[in-house]
Amino acid sequence: MEFPFDINVLFPDRITVLDQNLTTGRKFLGRPDHQHQIATVIDELGKASAQAQDLAAPITSAEKLQSNRHYLYLLKNGEGNRGRGVAVGYLKVGFKNLFLLDQQGAHVETEPLCVLDFFVAERMQRHGYGLELFRFMLRNKRVDPVQLAYDRPSPKFLSFLEKHCGLKDAVPQVNNFVVFDGFFRNRSAVPVRKVPPKKPEGEIKPYSLTEREALREEQKALPWPFARPQAPPHSPPLSQNSACSRSLSVGSSPTRAPLRLTPASGAYRGQAPQNQLIDGVNYRARRTSSLNRSRLSFQ
């Protein structure tokens, strides 16, 4: 892909590695427009890649590269375009946290290096540029092709991996990523998180206001005769220190005043002394005996 500016000035090496800072390691003396030109190259290559893969929108752009910790390997041909260089293609990689299925169907949580986008210009294909770019990334990251996860690879890319890397036995996944047999070597499966069972209605605490209100609203929604009247709420406990405390229950009588000892008599206030109780019992017994004698005399 040709541009109206010099590619060789922007990208010093044949394959240049760009990060989120869009820097190439070369100091641009007095040329603030070079950063804008680098962004232009990335954006145009991203649009061409989306068009080649029939995507609705580009998945690679300078803005997306700046907002993510991805790495873009850009390949150029420095002799093309009358010595100003030609952008051949790029390869974008980055780490992703993924939940994948192994050969036994168990979930594996892993964060592998992923190939996120791979593009070589149409008229530059079948010249070995793609293989050169891919092998450079493998050496730079010190990784084997089977250890990578591939994000939505095109049919051409799958054929490329089978031809040059021998990767053809893909493990089926439920997401857009493709991994091959051998990816799960030295990776252990993790159990799926179980959802706690729903608490039965019989375990609802009677003093929990929140659960009581929720149950009341649920029973209001039930049709007759399934709706049942609610029992009155429990009364709060009474304080034993208050002498004038009364029960909050309907129809209950006031509580008696607490019994207290008087210094003089030693008896409880509100209760008759013991000798008075004994005299009352003797008086009732004598009166009953007198009445019985009177009845006998009349007979």
Side-chain angles (χ1 to χ4, degrees):
M1 184 176 291
E2 299 179 355
F3 293 91
F5 42 81
D6 194 348
I7 297 294
N8 296 316
V9 176
L10 301 176
F11 308 106
D13 303 319
R14 180 174 175 85
I15 298 179
T16 302
V17 183
L18 298 172
D19 57 9
Q20 59 184 357
N21 298 318
L22 300 185
T23 57
T24 60
R26 173 176 292 187
K27 297 182 179 179
F28 303 124
L29 301 177
R31 302 296 299 272
D33 57 332
H34 285 177
Q35 186 105 5
H36 175 71
Q37 292 176 355
I38 292 176
T40 301
V41 173
I42 297 175
D43 292 342
E44 292 301 322
L45 288 174
K47 293 177 183 178
S49 175
Q51 184 178 2
Q53 300 180 61
D54 295 328
L55 301 178
I59 59 177
T60 300
S61 64
E63 182 180 359
K64 293 181 179 180
L65 186 63
Q66 289 175 313
S67 59
N68 296 280
R69 300 189 63 180
H70 297 159
Y71 299 92
L72 189 140
Y73 296 82
L74 193 144
L75 173 63
K76 72 169 185 178
N77 181 2
E79 299 177 357
N81 192 18
R82 299 178 182 180
R84 292 185 296 183
V86 176
V88 177
Y90 66 87
L91 176 62
K92 186 176 71 171
V93 298
F95 291 93
K96 292 282 188 179
N97 185 263
L98 302 176
F99 285 89
L100 302 175
L101 298 176
D102 62 6
Q103 293 88 338
Q104 288 74 32
H107 287 81
V108 176
E109 182 181 7
T110 181
E111 191 174 0
L113 183 67
C114 305
V115 178
L116 304 175
D117 198 6
F118 189 20
F119 170 72
V120 175
E122 184 67 27
R123 66 185 184 91
M124 297 290 182
Q125 294 181 7
R126 299 179 182 88
H127 289 80
Y129 290 116
L131 183 60
E132 179 185 358
L133 187 60
F134 190 74
R135 287 178 175 174
F136 181 89
M137 182 273 299
L138 295 178
R139 292 192 302 268
N140 182 261
K141 293 297 183 181
R142 298 179 181 178
V143 64
D144 294 330
V146 72
Q147 298 174 339
L148 299 172
Y150 302 88
D151 185 12
R152 291 175 293 186
S154 63
K156 288 184 178 181
F157 191 19
L158 292 175
S159 300
F160 173 89
L161 294 174
E162 182 178 359
K163 178 181 179 180
H164 298 287
C165 304
L167 300 178
K168 59 181 180 178
D169 298 327
V171 181
Q173 302 296 324
V174 296
N175 50 23
N176 297 323
F177 286 85
V178 173
V179 294
F180 295 91
D181 190 18
F183 174 84
F184 297 98
R185 191 177 297 118
N186 299 327
R187 290 185 173 96
S188 58
V190 296
V192 180
R193 183 177 64 90
K194 296 182 179 181
V195 180
K198 184 180 179 182
K199 184 168 60 173
E201 297 182 358
E203 295 182 7
I204 296 179
K205 297 179 181 180
Y207 295 102
S208 177
L209 297 179
T210 303
E211 296 179 353
R212 191 187 308 171
E213 290 295 333
L215 182 60
R216 185 181 294 110
E217 292 297 330
E218 180 180 353
Q219 290 191 353
K220 284 182 180 179
L222 295 176
W224 187 88
F226 299 101
R228 295 178 296 177
Q230 293 293 322
H234 294 274
S235 302
L238 298 177
S239 175
Q240 297 182 359
N241 297 328
S242 176
C244 301
S245 60
R246 294 177 179 271
S247 175
L248 298 179
S249 303
V250 178
S252 61
S253 60
T255 57
R256 298 180 179 272
L259 301 179
R260 300 179 181 177
L261 288 173
T262 58
S265 61
Y268 292 97
R269 183 173 299 176
Q271 180 180 358
Q274 185 177 1
N275 54 355
Q276 294 182 2
L277 294 177
I278 297 175
D279 293 342
V281 173
N282 296 334
Y283 172 76
R284 286 193 296 272
R286 288 194 301 269
R287 184 177 179 184
T288 303
S289 177
S290 176
L291 290 175
N292 291 335
R293 286 195 301 271
S294 300
R295 291 174 182 173
L296 291 176
S297 62
F298 280 111
Q299 292 177 358

